[in-house]
Amino acid sequence: MKELSERQQQILNTSISIIAQEGIQNLTTKNIASQIGVSEAALYRHYENKHAILKGILDMFKELSKMPEIPEGKELSPVEKIELFLMDRYTKFSTNPDLAKVMFSEAIFVNDKELADKARSIMHNHKEIIVKFIKDGMKEKLINKDLDPISTFRTVIGSMRLLVTQWCYNGNAFDLKKEGMNLWNNIKIMINP
């Protein structure tokens, strides 16, 4: 992803906030410009239209969805790598609840083929990362080898998505990182060989 200007980042963050707080139907260039305090013409200097802004949001999600850096000099087992991936997500969502609401609302992108393909690509990338860790964990006898790696991926990521959705619907009323760790600890017991 190319480096975003400060104004482009502001436009994307404002757009995410509008979608999360008011719904996709209220994401208009007029509303974005108004919330930022610029003219629509000024907005068009950075993004040609609403579609380009939505593509920018998905590009931002792709960047945010990468596997976090493993601390230098630290060796992590495949199970610890899955935990790092999950806890990174819980931390990002805890600090930016609007991000969580929009990232897990792929339905807003489904009616546009280009946007749907981008959203699907992000999900596929998550699948590749986590399934590799699951298979590595099976080889190292850290994860039950009788489990199906794809179904295990769905269990891990699906339960994370459900927890984040519950957190969003409950007005962020509980500690997402703490509950995320509790959930992960339960999953580790279930996948243990």
Side-chain angles (χ1 to χ4, degrees):
M1 185 173 136
K2 68 176 187 161
E3 189 74 25
L4 296 175
S5 70
E6 190 175 320
R7 179 66 79 196
Q8 286 173 313
Q9 191 64 57
Q10 183 184 29
I11 291 166
L12 295 181
N13 289 337
T14 300
S15 298
I16 288 169
S17 179
I18 290 169
I19 295 168
Q21 301 300 319
E22 302 172 33
I24 187 72
Q25 67 278 5
N26 288 311
L27 182 69
T28 63
T29 53
K30 182 178 181 177
N31 285 346
I32 297 165
S34 173
Q35 286 200 21
I36 292 173
V38 299
S39 68
E40 279 188 83
L43 194 73
Y44 290 130
R45 285 196 285 272
H46 301 283
Y47 291 98
E48 62 189 69
N49 54 32
K50 177 178 162 178
H51 187 264
I53 292 168
L54 289 171
K55 280 175 37 181
I57 289 171
L58 285 170
D59 287 339
M60 186 174 133
F61 290 173
K62 187 175 182 178
E63 257 332 279
L64 290 170
S65 294
K66 289 183 176 175
M67 179 67 189
E69 294 283 326
I70 295 172
E72 193 166 325
K74 190 166 187 179
E75 288 292 319
L76 297 180
S77 73
V79 173
E80 291 170 325
K81 288 177 184 175
I82 296 170
E83 182 176 314
L84 177 66
F85 181 90
L86 294 172
M87 294 314 295
D88 177 69
R89 298 311 173 269
Y90 292 131
T91 299
K92 284 177 180 165
F93 296 148
S94 292
T95 58
N96 190 344
D98 287 347
L99 179 69
K101 285 180 184 175
V102 178
M103 275 187 93
F104 288 159
S105 299
E106 291 93 355
I108 64 176
F109 304 110
V110 79
N111 293 321
D112 180 298
K113 182 172 175 10
E114 182 181 8
L115 298 177
D117 287 346
K118 275 182 161 302
R120 187 174 30 259
S121 172
I122 294 167
M123 283 189 264
H124 183 72
N125 185 49
H126 285 166
K127 183 177 87 171
E128 285 183 347
I129 291 169
I130 301 299
V131 167
K132 180 187 181 320
F133 295 154
I134 291 167
K135 288 179 178 178
D136 291 346
M138 289 173 168
K139 286 178 194 165
E140 294 179 27
K141 298 183 175 70
L142 300 171
I143 296 176
N144 183 338
K145 67 177 179 55
D146 295 327
L147 296 173
D148 173 61
I150 300 294
S151 294
T152 305
F153 157 76
R154 289 179 179 138
T155 300
V156 170
I157 297 300
S159 61
M160 177 195 71
R161 291 174 66 92
L162 177 60
L163 179 63
V164 173
T165 300
Q166 289 174 328
W167 179 71
C168 289
Y169 279 118
N170 284 294
N172 319 122
F174 57 85
D175 184 332
L176 181 61
K177 292 190 287 187
K178 179 182 173 201
E179 291 302 317
M181 183 54 80
N182 289 341
L183 179 60
W184 173 236
N185 285 333
N186 276 309
I187 291 172
K188 283 193 293 188
I189 292 167
M190 290 189 288
I191 65 174
N192 195 36

